[in-house]
Each structure stands twice: as C-alpha cells, then as structure tokens.
Amino acid sequence: MSRPAAKKELGQHFLVDENLLGVIGRLAELAPDDVVLEVGPGLGVLTRYLADRVAFVHSVEIDRRLGGHLDGIPRTEVHWGDALALDIGTLEPPPRKLVSNLPYNIATPLVAESLAIEQLDHWCVMVQREVADRFFAHPSTKAYGAVSVLVQLAAERTGLHPVSREVFRPRPNVDSALVAFRRTGSGAPPRVKRVVAAAFAHRRKTLANSLALTGVASRERAVEALAAIGQGATVRAEALEPAAFVALADALAGGAQP
C-alpha cells in the first residue's frame, strides 16, 4: 500500500522502523490486559504492535487518508478526529496507558491535558527531545517551565531513550526521544494550573509581576502569598519547585481548596 505524503501542518512524521517497537514495549511495560490509547497512529506500525500484545487499543487519528493503513487491525477502534477535542474519559473500555508517537504540534498540550484523566496511570510517548527534557527539567534551568511543573505534580519519569531521526519518514529536522512516566499523584487542580500558567507567562518578569500582568492577583497580594510560603518578592517562576506552586495557589486563595 502506498504511503501518503506527511502533512507538515499536522506535525506528521511516520514511524517506519520496527526495530524501535521493542523499546517502546519495554518502556510502556505492556501487559496482556492493558487498554491503550494511541494518538497519531500514522501508518499503523505501532498500532499493530500494540494490538498484538494488549487487550484493546483506542487509536485517534485526524487524517482520514490513512484509513487503508488502519482498517481491520484486531482489538482496535479508530477514533477519527482531533485528539485534543476527544473526551478521553468517555472511552470504553477505559484506557490506562498512553503509548504514542505523538504529532509534534500537539505533543505538549496533549500530555498536559491527559494528566487530568486519572484512569491514565502510565505514559510512553515519542516527542521532540527538547520536549522530553522539558517534562522533567529541574528548577532554575532553561528547560523548566509550566509543563515541567504540571507533569512533575502528577508523575515520575521511568525511562528516557533517544531516538534516531532515521526511524521516521519524512526525516525530521530535530532530535526525538521516547519518554516514559507513571502517575504518582492526581496532578494540578484548576486553581493550581491557573497560577502555574500565569507564573510562566512572562518569564523575564518576577513571579509577582507575572501574576499581576495576567490578572491572577495584584502584585501586593502576590508578594504577600510568596512571603507566606517563604519566598521573596523578586523570585522568578523558574526558581520554585513544583510543590511550591501548590502552596502558592493555596496562599493566594487564603487556604481555600479547589
């Protein structure tokens, strides 16, 4: 079957080298009773590998040109549409793992949103190397940002595997990596997400000024809340550990819960 040309606007880079599948299976800790969510199946190389090893695969694809590559795979349901618009919580049987070669243009928001789906407890995703590094970056580093905080409040990394550009067609211009992580907590509630997003919205500003510029709190209130958690008025967002953002959100809300 002919391979359709990848669409740049969809962030498509099709996985074509099956030698990588064993690494994915190991990092994903696949088990026969697993129900897996796959986003961006492309030509179905990973889909078929998963379907041979787990109980069920939910595969989400927006590009209907790929139907011929995805039709008829056992124990697999293809959901046609935008993965960011899909209500993952309504899928039956409910998926427990997200295992995907994620399209570059939705990788970060999709992972961030999936953290709120508490039935998901394990991720093994192929993303740009810089994105993989960002997920578990340490505070006070250039890579550390809002997604680092959100991921680390919900999960711990269990594996990282650099991936050659040669396993994709077309060959991307950036390095990729497989990153695996498992749930350790429920993640950030909406009030914490709001504070995190506002804190990093103006990275060159102090955290208090960034919160004020985004309308989350006045600068005076932000300085008071920072003092309450032992932080100075001039601290920047990248200096705070993930747990400190939960404490900051509590302080800004006067200790109120979500």
Side-chain angles (χ1 to χ4, degrees):
M1 185 182 301
S2 63
R3 182 173 68 224
K7 289 187 175 181
K8 184 177 181 180
E9 65 271 22
L10 296 180
Q12 290 176 332
H13 292 278
F14 299 133
L15 176 64
V16 295
D17 188 341
E18 297 188 11
N19 293 322
L20 190 63
L21 297 176
V23 179
I24 296 174
R26 175 174 58 82
L27 291 180
E29 300 176 19
L30 297 179
D33 61 345
D34 278 342
V35 177
V36 171
L37 172 64
E38 182 195 19
V39 173
L43 303 176
V45 172
L46 176 57
T47 316
R48 287 184 286 273
Y49 175 85
L50 293 171
D52 285 344
R53 288 160 178 81
V54 303
F56 197 82
V57 180
H58 291 284
S59 198
V60 187
E61 178 55 64
I62 197 171
D63 188 354
R64 287 188 174 271
R65 298 177 307 154
L66 301 172
H69 293 272
L70 301 174
D71 290 342
I73 301 176
R75 294 175 296 283
T76 299
E77 180 177 359
V78 180
H79 305 269
W80 296 102
D82 184 350
L84 291 173
L86 177 68
D87 187 350
I88 298 172
T90 65
L91 297 179
E92 290 292 340
R96 188 172 72 86
K97 295 181 176 180
L98 174 61
V99 183
S100 301
N101 170 30
L102 290 177
Y104 285 169
N105 59 343
I106 67 166
T108 297
L110 185 104
V111 168
E113 291 298 319
S114 72
L115 297 170
I117 310 299
E118 292 198 15
Q119 69 200 36
L120 287 176
D121 62 16
H122 198 114
W123 291 255
C124 178
V125 292
M126 189 130 54
V127 294
Q128 292 183 47
R129 177 59 192 260
E130 67 176 35
V131 173
D133 291 341
R134 204 176 296 152
F135 287 162
F136 291 94
H138 295 293
S140 300
T141 62
K142 184 178 180 181
Y144 187 70
V147 73
S148 313
V149 174
L150 298 179
V151 171
Q152 291 173 47
L153 285 174
E156 64 179 2
R157 191 171 70 184
T158 58
L160 179 70
H161 183 86
V163 176
S164 167
R165 301 181 186 191
E166 300 304 323
V167 307
F168 304 104
R169 292 294 181 273
R171 184 179 184 273
N173 294 322
V174 296
D175 292 326
S176 299
L178 279 165
V179 58
F181 44 103
R182 69 164 58 93
R183 184 178 295 281
T184 56
S186 58
R191 62 188 174 81
V192 176
K193 288 182 180 179
R194 184 168 178 251
V195 169
V196 171
F200 287 96
H202 303 276
R203 288 187 69 109
R204 296 186 179 182
K205 304 288 187 182
T206 65
L207 199 162
N209 284 342
S210 192
L211 292 177
L213 286 168
T214 52
V216 167
S218 68
R219 185 181 184 282
E220 294 73 17
R221 181 73 189 97
V223 169
E224 291 174 0
L226 285 166
I229 66 169
Q231 298 290 337
T234 60
V235 71
R236 297 182 188 275
E238 60 263 29
L240 269 63
E241 298 277 350
F245 285 95
V246 179
L248 177 60
D250 286 345
L252 287 169
Q257 296 302 306

